[in-house]
Amino acid sequence: MLTMALSRTADARTAKIALAVSGDERMQTDLKELVEAFEKEQPLSGDSLGLLQGAQAALSRINTALRSRGYYDPRISATVDGRPIAEAAALDAIDARPENDPVSFSFDVATGPRYRIADVVIRPPGSETSLPAIDRAQLGLSAGDPADATAILEAQDKLITELRKQGFALASIKRDVVVNHATQEATVTFVAETGPLARMGPVRFSGTDKVDTVWLQRRVPFKEGELYDPAKVEALRGRLTSLGVFNAVRIKPASALDPSGELPIDVELTDRPSRSIGFGVAYETQLGFSVSGFWTHRNLFGQAESLRLTAELTHLGEGYAILDTGFAFRANFRKPDWWLPQQDLRLEAAGLREVLNAYTRNAVTAYAGFDRTFSPRWQARIGLAGEVSRITRNGITMNYGLVGLPLSILYNRANSDLDPTEGYRIDLDVTPWVYSRDFFTIMRLTGRHYVDFSDSGRSVLATRASIGSEPAVSIGGIPPDKLFYAGGGGSVRGFVYQSAGPRDNFNNPLGGASVIEASVEFRQRIGESWGAVAFVDAGSAYPDFLPDFSWFAPRVGAGVGARYYTSFGPVRVDVGFP
């Protein structure tokens, strides 16, 4: 006879932690968030033993959090039905409850006093050695500060950074924290082993089979034998990544000096695909649709020479004839380290047709010049530009042949080129132009400033101010495309492109010989990849060489927008209203 026995597995028990915190208000919030996160990551569910072990793990995290913030004498009562969870009776108390009855663990935490730093001692491992002078103010830790573990670890990192800045590339730090419960203070001792003074050694490249490694040596921003400086290593990383031909740059200084006292540096490179193509679609309410495509070769001759070909069709759907469509075909070539390190040759050419409310322009343009990086803060660009154009405005067509000398100077103290959150940058652009009927100069000064309210780049206030002027023999002699216009994205949002300024009798933009713009924008990150913005823009073009508000006040637009953050910068969508 076959007998079958059926049994029902008991439903898993569940539990919650009831937390009460007294003492420091900031710790109340932090501990409640810690417990909530713990219960989310490790829900208290299972048999009686599993619930008890989970509660004990949560208690351990609370103790660790308190000690890490300098609370070494907390009073904590952790019980279940009045039984301390550290005792065996707690398990009996849980077992005694009905299986379907949720269990409640009661945690009562009194943070107690916050311990302070009594002294910060920095010493060598033995009395026979001495340490170089250390600027203790740079460490951010001194007597009287809270005995916060994060601050102590940060001070240790800053100390080793200071030693390496002085040339001790192999410096190491051992940390010792002694807590005196009687005085409620902690003494922090850093034992610093400096190692020998190091000098910059040879740089050895590996991993690339597309880029000339002999040529890459020109990108090395130091000479062998110079005193070691970690900033020079980071500068090397920056110079390699800026070429745009590597997916990854891994720099690994050696773990020991060579016989000459130099520190060899190995650089492992991962090549990026040399060629890429891309397409884009855009829409503006007044300008219609535009489609574009590009082809890029990032390493044309093996020394990171780049060639980019682009094609664009604009003003689609805004007219009934092919003549209402605009286009642009452009070619851009860059040769890094042309003649000198940090000096790039640029060659550009374009054939285009612009169909705008202000004018219709057919042109062929060319540019030859170079970009020069003098330091991480200072950059400049100078070149020679020429163009031949045919411009129609209000039924009148004029032909132009111009030669210009573009000059740009950038002073950059922003923390990023793609998505800055702190610092500022100042751009000055000056371009003298000459042609048979006139001589004029386009000048524009633009400043941008960024303030991070969150210290993590998630809440940023970005401001911009710009002023431009065009001294000329005659304002009427300036080609329409070289006048200043305001309105549209990057200018005064909420106004149609080129519309914030003087108009003719047909309400078409006239442009001006001067412009002024300002913008205030608050950016808030939401989650990992999304963000929202609110902005107010103001500005206008003016007929005279300097902005004259007696003509009219600057136009003002406001609105909101969304951002999607990618590895190559944020994608922007803005909606503005006058």
Side-chain angles (χ1 to χ4, degrees):
M1 180 177 65
L2 178 65
T3 303
M4 298 182 64
L6 299 178
S7 63
R8 182 176 63 88
T9 302
D11 294 335
R13 292 179 179 271
T14 60
K16 285 288 185 181
I17 297 174
L19 177 69
V21 182
S22 60
D24 188 279
E25 293 183 0
R26 289 173 297 181
M27 286 305 300
Q28 292 180 27
T29 302
D30 291 348
L31 292 181
K32 287 179 180 179
E33 290 178 354
L34 184 150
V35 170
E36 290 173 359
F38 179 87
E39 290 181 321
K40 185 177 180 180
E41 296 170 5
Q42 303 179 34
L44 296 179
S45 175
D47 58 19
S48 300
L49 181 59
L51 296 185
L52 183 61
Q53 290 174 337
Q56 291 170 344
L59 179 61
S60 176
R61 287 197 185 186
I62 290 174
N63 266 308
T64 300
L66 287 166
R67 291 177 65 85
S68 71
R69 298 289 293 274
Y71 298 96
Y72 288 93
D73 281 333
R75 295 187 302 278
I76 303 177
S77 172
T79 62
V80 55
D81 291 344
R83 313 285 178 82
I85 66 173
E87 298 179 2
L91 186 60
D92 296 334
I94 298 174
D95 284 335
R97 299 177 67 91
E99 290 183 355
N100 294 329
D101 188 10
V103 177
S104 178
F105 291 99
S106 178
F107 286 11
D108 292 320
V109 179
T111 63
R114 194 176 195 184
Y115 281 33
R116 300 282 169 174
I117 299 294
D119 193 12
V120 179
V121 178
I122 303 173
R123 65 174 180 82
S127 59
E128 68 279 1
T129 59
S130 60
L131 290 177
I134 300 295
D135 184 1
R136 289 175 173 259
Q138 298 294 325
L139 303 184
L141 187 71
S142 58
D145 291 343
D148 188 290
T150 300
I152 294 172
L153 292 174
E154 289 177 352
Q156 179 175 339
D157 291 339
K158 291 176 182 178
L159 175 57
I160 199 166
T161 298
E162 285 295 310
L163 290 172
R164 289 175 179 171
K165 283 181 179 179
Q166 297 187 37
F168 298 100
L170 305 179
S172 62
I173 305 291
K174 292 183 179 179
R175 179 186 69 255
D176 184 35
V177 179
V178 177
V179 176
N180 187 327
H181 292 275
T183 62
Q184 298 179 350
E185 292 179 321
T187 299
V188 181
T189 301
F190 295 120
V191 180
E193 176 67 65
T194 63
L197 200 64
R199 301 195 174 275
M200 307 301 295
V203 177
R204 301 173 295 209
F205 295 102
S206 64
T208 178
D209 56 5
K210 296 180 179 180
V211 182
D212 182 357
T213 56
V214 175
W215 174 79
L216 283 178
Q217 292 290 341
R218 297 183 61 182
R219 304 289 291 183
V220 177
F222 52 81
K223 296 180 180 179
E224 291 184 33
E226 292 181 1
L227 186 65
Y228 176 86
D229 187 344
K232 296 176 182 178
V233 178
E234 286 307 306
L236 172 62
R237 186 190 310 276
R239 290 194 181 185
L240 295 174
T241 55
S242 66
L243 292 173
V245 295
F246 302 120
N247 270 333
V249 176
R250 298 178 181 87
I251 299 180
K252 298 181 288 187
S255 58
L257 304 185
D258 63 17
S260 61
E262 296 179 348
L263 186 70
I265 297 174
D266 292 319
V267 180
E268 183 180 339
L269 304 169
T270 302
D271 286 323
R272 186 180 182 185
S274 297
R275 299 172 182 83
S276 64
I277 60 174
F279 303 93
V281 178
Y283 176 75
E284 294 187 31
T285 54
Q286 297 296 319
L287 299 179
F289 284 96
S290 65
V291 295
S292 61
F294 69 86
W295 174 87
T296 298
H297 196 305
R298 301 182 182 87
N299 190 32
L300 204 59
F301 305 119
Q303 295 184 354
E305 303 92 344
S306 65
L307 175 64
R308 182 183 179 94
L309 305 178
T310 61
E312 182 179 22
L313 291 176
T314 60
H315 212 251
L316 299 176
E318 296 301 303
Y320 299 98
I322 191 66
L323 294 179
D324 294 321
T325 301
F327 63 82
F329 302 98
R330 295 185 172 86
N332 301 81
F333 174 79
R334 182 186 71 138
K335 164 63 177 171
D337 293 343
W338 178 64
W339 278 6
L340 297 172
Q342 295 293 91
Q343 181 170 281
D344 297 351
L345 171 69
R346 287 189 180 273
L347 302 175
E348 301 174 0
L352 56 91
R353 173 179 174 80
E354 294 177 312
V355 181
L356 303 170
N357 292 335
Y359 55 81
T360 298
R361 174 185 178 227
N362 298 290
V364 175
T365 67
Y367 170 85
F370 60 86
D371 300 350
R372 176 71 175 160
T373 300
F374 297 98
S375 72
R377 305 299 183 197
W378 288 98
Q379 300 174 42
R381 173 182 293 185
I382 190 169
L384 182 66
E387 67 176 68
V388 177
S389 62
R390 184 179 180 87
I391 301 176
T392 299
R393 184 174 199 172
N394 294 334
I396 300 174
T397 299
M398 299 285 291
N399 295 319
Y400 298 91
L402 294 86
V403 176
L405 190 68
L407 169 65
S408 298
I409 298 175
L410 168 65
Y411 181 67
N412 189 1
R413 295 193 68 88
N415 63 346
S416 170
D417 292 332
L418 296 177
D419 186 25
T421 58
E422 289 181 320
Y424 62 91
R425 55 183 292 162
I426 301 173
D427 297 90
L428 174 64
D429 299 306
V430 179
T431 305
W433 288 98
V434 62
Y435 72 109
S436 59
R437 292 186 297 275
D438 209 340
F439 171 83
F440 61 97
T441 301
I442 302 176
M443 300 186 298
R444 187 155 191 168
L445 180 66
T446 302
R448 295 174 175 84
H449 188 248
Y450 309 92
V451 179
D452 183 3
F453 290 104
S454 62
D455 294 329
S456 61
R458 300 188 64 84
S459 302
V460 176
L461 182 68
T463 57
R464 180 181 67 91
S466 182
I467 186 170
S469 178
E470 294 188 46
V473 175
S474 168
I475 294 178
I478 301 175
D481 67 299
K482 296 297 184 288
L483 293 169
F484 287 116
Y485 296 87
S491 176
V492 185
R493 289 164 287 186
F495 285 82
V496 176
Y497 179 63
Q498 295 187 334
S499 67
R503 308 284 192 95
D504 62 16
N505 294 332
F506 302 98
N507 205 35
N508 292 320
L510 285 172
S514 62
V515 69
I516 190 168
E517 293 174 349
S519 175
V520 178
E521 178 176 286
F522 182 76
R523 305 169 181 170
Q524 179 61 54
R525 292 287 288 263
I526 301 173
E528 185 67 24
S529 301
W530 290 93
V533 303
F535 60 84
V536 177
D537 297 341
S540 289
Y542 289 89
D544 299 327
F545 294 131
L546 292 175
D548 185 354
F549 296 163
S550 66
W551 284 91
F552 44 79
R555 304 295 193 258
V556 178
V560 295
R563 301 288 184 267
Y564 181 75
Y565 294 91
T566 69
S567 59
F568 51 85
V571 178
R572 299 176 170 87
V573 177
D574 293 326
V575 178
F577 303 92

